[in-house]
Amino acid sequence: MKKSLLILLSLAVGFTAQAQKVPLNIIPQPVEIIELSGVFTLNKSSVITFNKAEGRATAEMLAQKISMPTGFSLKVQEGKNGAIQLNINDVPNEKIGKEGYTFESNAKGVNISANTSAGLFYGIQTLVQLLPKEIEGKELAKTAWTIPAVKITDYPRFAWRGVMFDVSRNFFSKEDVKKYIDQLARMKYNTFHWHLTDDEGWRIEIKSLPKLTQVGAFRVPRSGHFGDRAIPKEGEAATEGGFYTHEDIKEVVRYAQERNVTIVPEIDVPGHSMAAIAAYPELSCNKNPKTFVNPGASIADWYGNGTFKVLYENTLNPSDEKVYEFLDKVFTEVAALFPNQYIHVGGDECYKGFWAADEGCQELMRKLKIHHVEDLQGYFMNRLEKILKAKGKKLIGWDEILEGGISPEATVMSWRGIKGGIEAAKLGHDVVMTPTTFAYIDYNQGDNTVDPPIYAGLRVSKSYSFEPVPDGVEAKYILGGQANLWTEQIPNLRYAEYMSYPRVWALADVYWSPKASKNWENFSKRMEAQFDRADLAQVNYSRAVYDAIVKTTLKNNKLSLELGSELSDLDIYYSIDDTMPDNFSTKYSKIVELPEGAITLRVITYRKDKPIGHLITLKRAELEKRATKQ
C-alpha cells in the first residue's frame, strides 16, 4: 500500500513539474539555453541584491518594472543573498564579453552574472520575458509570478544593433522618443540613430544659429499623402513642427544611457538641407530667400534608373567657406551634446545639378583639378571629417560618402542594398548593414490593399532572413546592422510602433543571436507570444504576418493565381464569385487558373476554424497589374 502511494506521489510530482514547463519565448534568442525542472515563484518578500555599486541602477529598474503588475514593492539592497541576485563578475568571463550575461534560475531564486552593468541590464530583460505575460500590463494582475528553471549563457553576435528614427518628416515629442528607446532596449538594441535634420524640418537647437529652429523647425500645415501636398502659399504661416532644446537632448541622452543605448545623431548634409537653407539661404548656390521648409510636397523628379532632379534647392554650396563655418558651429554644439564617438552626416541623395550650374563650384573644381561635379561631394565630406575630428568625433554616413573618396577612418552605413557595404568593407571601412531590402521598416508589411501604400514592401519573414555579413567579406569589418524608420507616412508614435513591430523583433534576433540558431518556425512562435505581451503593454504592432500572400502569373494570356502565407499553420480560403469567403468557401491547395471576365478575388486566412487575417480584395485589373509574365 505504501509502495503504491509512493508511486502515485512520484507520478503526481512528475506530472506537476512537466505541466509547469512553458515555452521559452525570448527575443532575441539566447546563445545557449538549458531548460531545467521546477520554477521560482516571486512574492512580495523577495529581495533583489547587487554585489557592486554599478549594479544598483539595474536592480532598481527591475524592481520598478515588477512593481506595477505584481503590486510587490521589492526591496533592493547590496549583497549576495537575494532571491534575485545581480552580480558583476570579479574575474571577467571572456566568453560573454562586455554585453553578455549568464542566467540561472531554480526553485530558490535567480542569479544573473555579467562582466558589466550592460550585461546585467540585458539579463533582466530576459528575466522579464520569462515571467508571465501579465508582467507587461499597466494594472495589478492576479497570477502566479513564476520563472521557469533555466540555465542561460548569452552574448551578442554584433556590436552595433541599431534602429534609426526619423523625426524630421514628422516631429515626435521627447516623451515619445524616450518611450520608443525603452521598447528597443528591451529587445537588446544598443544604438539609437536619431535622424534630426532633413528637408522637412530641423529638430535640434543650435544656440549660435537660432534661425535653424526659429525658421527651420516649422512648416506650413498640410494633410494628405506625403509627396502629394501643395507647396506653401505666399505669406502662409509655418505653424507645424517642433524641435529639441539642449536640455531636451541631454534628458533623452541620459535616459538612453540608463538603458545602455548609445544615441548617434544625424545632421544630414550636404543634400537634404532644405530646412537649413530656408533659415539661412546664403548657404546655398542660388541663395533664394523664398526657400521653404518642405511640408511634404514633391520637390524632385525621380527617374526609373535611380537618378533624379531636385526642383527646389536643398543642397549646401561646397565652394563657399561660410558653409564650413556654419558646419563648424553646428557640430561644435552637437558634439558637446552627444558623448558617443560617432556623428552621422548623411551624405545621401545629394543632387549635384545646382553645383554644376554654379560658377563658384566650377572654380573650385578647376582649383582642385577635378573634372566631375560628383567629386565635389568627396571634397565636402573630407572637409567635414576634419571638423568632426577636431571635436574628437568619428564620421559615419550613408554609402554615397564613398563617391569622390573618403578617408579609411570613416564608417559606412550601407542602405542601397548590400553592394555599398561590400565595397566599403573591401576598402577597409567599418560598415553597418542596413539595406532597403531587409531593414527599411517604413515599407509595407503586407498587401498594399490593406496597409496605406508607400515605396515598397518588406515582410517580417524577409527581415528575419537577413544575413549582415555577405559572402566574401571579412566579418571584422561588419560592425552590425540597423533597421531604419523613415516617417514620411508616420504621423504619431502609435503608428511608428505599428510599422516597427514585429520587424524590429525579427532584426533583434538577426543582430544578437547566433547565425546557426536562425529558424523561422521557432521565431514565429516567439513572435506570436510577443503579440500577447504587446497587447498588455499597449504597444501597437502589425498583424500582416497572418494575411495571405497573393501572387499572379500571366502565361499565354492566361492568368494564374498562387496564394501563400508566412505562417505554415494557416488555412487560406478564397472566392471569385462575389461572395464573402469564410472557412466553408474554396480552400486553396494549388495554383488556380482564373477564368476570364471581370472577376473579383477575395481571400482570407483562418487558423483552427477561426478567421485570423485581413480580408484581401482584388479586382481583375489589379491581379493583372501585379502578374509576372512567363
Side-chain angles (χ1 to χ4, degrees):
M1 186 68 167
K2 287 182 179 179
K3 186 179 287 187
S4 297
L5 285 171
L6 284 170
I7 291 170
L8 287 170
L9 183 61
S10 63
L11 285 170
V13 169
F15 177 78
T16 302
Q18 187 175 9
Q20 287 173 338
K21 282 199 172 185
V22 295
L24 305 180
N25 294 309
I26 303 167
I27 296 178
Q29 176 77 14
V31 174
E32 299 172 9
I33 184 163
I34 300 170
E35 296 184 60
L36 307 172
S37 296
V39 297
F40 165 66
T41 302
L42 191 70
N43 60 58
K44 64 181 180 181
S45 301
S46 300
V47 176
I48 303 173
T49 59
F50 56 92
N51 71 331
K52 295 184 180 180
E54 54 263 47
R56 176 184 288 276
T58 304
E60 290 176 344
M61 192 175 291
L62 176 61
Q64 183 179 12
K65 171 66 179 176
I66 289 172
S67 65
M68 174 65 75
T70 64
F72 303 156
S73 297
L74 300 190
K75 189 175 182 180
V76 175
Q77 62 186 37
E78 190 167 357
K80 290 187 176 182
N81 58 353
I84 299 175
Q85 299 177 32
L86 306 181
N87 297 324
I88 301 286
N89 296 323
D90 292 324
V91 178
N93 179 341
E94 293 185 7
K95 184 176 182 179
I96 62 176
K98 292 181 179 179
E99 295 182 293
Y101 62 93
T102 58
F103 183 110
E104 189 163 0
S105 55
N106 54 40
K108 294 181 180 179
V110 178
N111 186 300
I112 302 173
S113 298
N115 297 328
T116 67
S117 59
L120 288 184
F121 178 83
Y122 295 131
I124 71 167
Q125 306 316 311
T126 293
L127 184 154
V128 170
Q129 290 196 41
L130 289 172
L131 282 163
K133 64 183 179 181
E134 288 80 7
I135 197 68
E136 309 293 354
K138 307 288 186 183
E139 299 175 352
L140 189 66
K142 290 184 178 180
T143 189
W145 297 106
T146 57
I147 295 173
V150 293
K151 190 172 183 179
I152 297 171
T153 301
D154 201 13
Y155 48 87
R157 181 183 177 195
F158 292 106
W160 188 297
R161 307 179 303 280
V163 175
M164 187 222 71
F165 192 35
D166 165 23
V167 295
S168 174
R169 272 50 179 269
N170 278 296
F171 179 69
F172 293 78
S173 71
K174 67 179 178 182
E175 295 305 324
D176 283 346
V177 173
K178 286 160 64 176
K179 184 176 181 181
Y180 193 70
I181 289 171
D182 190 58
Q183 293 169 11
L184 301 181
R186 296 188 55 216
M187 291 292 151
K188 302 184 175 75
Y189 282 92
N190 67 355
T191 304
F192 180 70
H193 173 174
W194 205 358
H195 186 83
L196 289 163
T197 74
D198 215 298
D199 298 324
E200 291 76 23
W202 184 284
R203 305 300 182 200
I204 178 171
E205 177 187 33
I206 303 297
K207 291 183 182 292
S208 60
L209 297 161
K211 287 198 289 186
L212 282 174
T213 46
Q214 291 171 359
V215 175
F218 297 92
R219 60 189 186 225
V220 298
R222 290 287 184 271
S223 58
H225 195 275
F226 187 93
D228 294 334
R229 301 170 189 169
I231 65 172
K233 300 173 185 175
E234 188 75 32
E236 188 176 6
T239 57
E240 185 177 287
F243 64 93
Y244 309 104
T245 67
H246 280 203
E247 291 307 311
D248 292 335
I249 297 286
K250 291 173 185 176
E251 182 181 332
V252 174
V253 167
R254 282 194 302 270
Y255 188 87
Q257 286 174 329
E258 290 166 0
R259 288 152 182 79
N260 296 284
V261 172
T262 295
I263 297 184
V264 176
E266 180 181 355
I267 307 297
D268 200 351
V269 290
H272 287 284
S273 294
M274 199 166 175
I277 294 170
Y280 295 98
E282 63 271 21
L283 300 174
S284 64
C285 290
N286 292 332
K287 302 175 174 35
N288 184 356
K290 293 186 178 181
T291 301
F292 53 86
V293 179
N294 185 19
S298 176
I299 65 167
D301 289 334
W302 290 85
Y303 309 119
N305 59 1
T307 61
F308 60 99
K309 177 183 179 181
V310 172
L311 308 176
Y312 300 90
E313 192 171 10
N314 71 341
T315 309
L316 301 179
N317 182 350
S319 70
D320 191 338
E321 284 301 311
K322 290 181 179 179
V323 167
Y324 301 103
E325 293 171 11
F326 163 83
L327 293 170
D328 189 78
K329 290 179 180 179
V330 168
F331 287 111
T332 293
E333 296 189 33
V334 172
L337 289 169
F338 295 94
N340 85 90
Q341 62 177 325
Y342 287 104
I343 292 179
H344 201 295
V345 298
D348 61 313
E349 297 176 334
C350 177
Y351 177 65
K352 315 299 193 305
F354 296 103
W355 297 356
D358 181 73
E359 180 53 38
C361 290
Q362 293 303 308
E363 177 59 31
L364 178 59
M365 289 175 64
R366 289 190 288 270
K367 181 180 177 181
L368 297 173
K369 297 181 180 179
I370 58 177
H371 304 289
H372 303 288
V373 71
E374 288 77 13
D375 293 334
L376 283 177
Q377 179 151 333
Y379 168 80
F380 178 94
M381 284 297 170
N382 279 290
R383 289 283 303 266
L384 184 50
E385 186 173 31
K386 289 176 182 176
I387 291 172
L388 295 184
K389 280 184 177 180
K391 303 175 195 317
K393 300 295 184 181
K394 292 181 68 174
L395 181 147
I396 183 170
W398 304 110
D399 53 58
E400 286 98 328
I401 67 172
L402 292 169
E403 298 170 6
I406 192 69
S407 84
E409 298 170 36
T411 300
V412 175
M413 196 167 272
S414 185
W415 74 277
R416 295 179 297 178
I418 61 173
K419 182 180 177 183
I422 293 171
E423 178 187 351
K426 289 184 175 180
L427 291 171
H429 294 279
D430 285 339
V431 175
V432 177
M433 284 294 194
T434 177
T436 59
T437 42
F438 297 97
Y440 266 46
I441 58 173
D442 58 316
Y443 287 2
N444 274 2
Q445 295 167 85
D447 200 279
N448 275 350
T449 61
V450 176
D451 286 348
I454 198 164
Y455 312 116
L458 175 61
R459 293 184 178 273
V460 62
S461 55
K462 182 71 178 289
S463 288
Y464 185 75
S465 72
F466 180 35
E467 171 47 46
V469 182
D471 292 339
V473 170
E474 289 189 67
K476 69 178 182 179
Y477 292 116
I478 308 300
L479 299 181
Q482 181 171 289
N484 292 333
L485 185 65
W486 303 101
T487 62
E488 289 97 324
Q489 288 294 110
I490 300 175
N492 54 54
L493 181 63
R494 186 79 180 159
Y495 198 59
E497 292 171 346
Y498 177 89
M499 297 301 288
S500 297
Y501 313 120
R503 291 179 294 193
V504 160
W505 304 339
L507 290 168
D509 249 38
V510 171
Y511 302 147
W512 178 282
S513 307
K515 180 180 178 180
S517 73
K518 186 172 287 186
N519 181 298
W520 169 248
E521 291 295 323
N522 174 278
F523 172 77
S524 63
K525 290 178 174 60
R526 291 182 283 128
M527 172 189 69
E528 290 193 77
Q530 292 296 328
F531 287 167
D532 292 339
R533 288 175 170 260
D535 288 338
L536 288 164
Q538 298 174 7
V539 171
N540 202 10
Y541 58 90
S542 168
R543 294 173 60 86
V545 72
Y546 294 119
D547 296 349
I549 300 171
V550 181
K551 296 180 180 179
T552 53
T553 56
L554 192 63
K555 184 178 181 180
N556 298 328
N557 292 322
K558 296 288 187 181
L559 189 64
S560 295
L561 171 69
E562 182 180 355
L563 301 177
S565 63
E566 292 182 272
L567 301 180
S568 61
D569 63 344
L570 302 184
D571 295 318
I572 306 172
Y573 297 92
Y574 71 96
S575 69
I576 53 174
D577 59 359
D578 274 346
T579 62
M580 294 296 286
D582 62 11
N583 57 327
F584 291 92
S585 301
T586 304
K587 183 178 179 179
Y588 179 81
S589 60
K590 61 182 181 180
I591 295 174
V592 178
E593 186 176 297
L594 294 171
E596 295 181 5
I599 61 168
T600 298
L601 172 72
R602 292 178 174 87
V603 183
I604 193 166
T605 54
Y606 274 66
R607 175 186 276 167
K608 296 179 180 177
D609 293 327
K610 299 290 183 183
I612 194 167
H614 293 98
L615 175 69
I616 296 173
T617 304
L618 296 165
K619 293 184 179 295
R620 185 181 189 90
E622 178 59 34
L623 292 169
E624 291 177 346
K625 183 179 178 182
R626 63 174 63 187
T628 55
K629 293 183 179 180
Q630 292 185 342

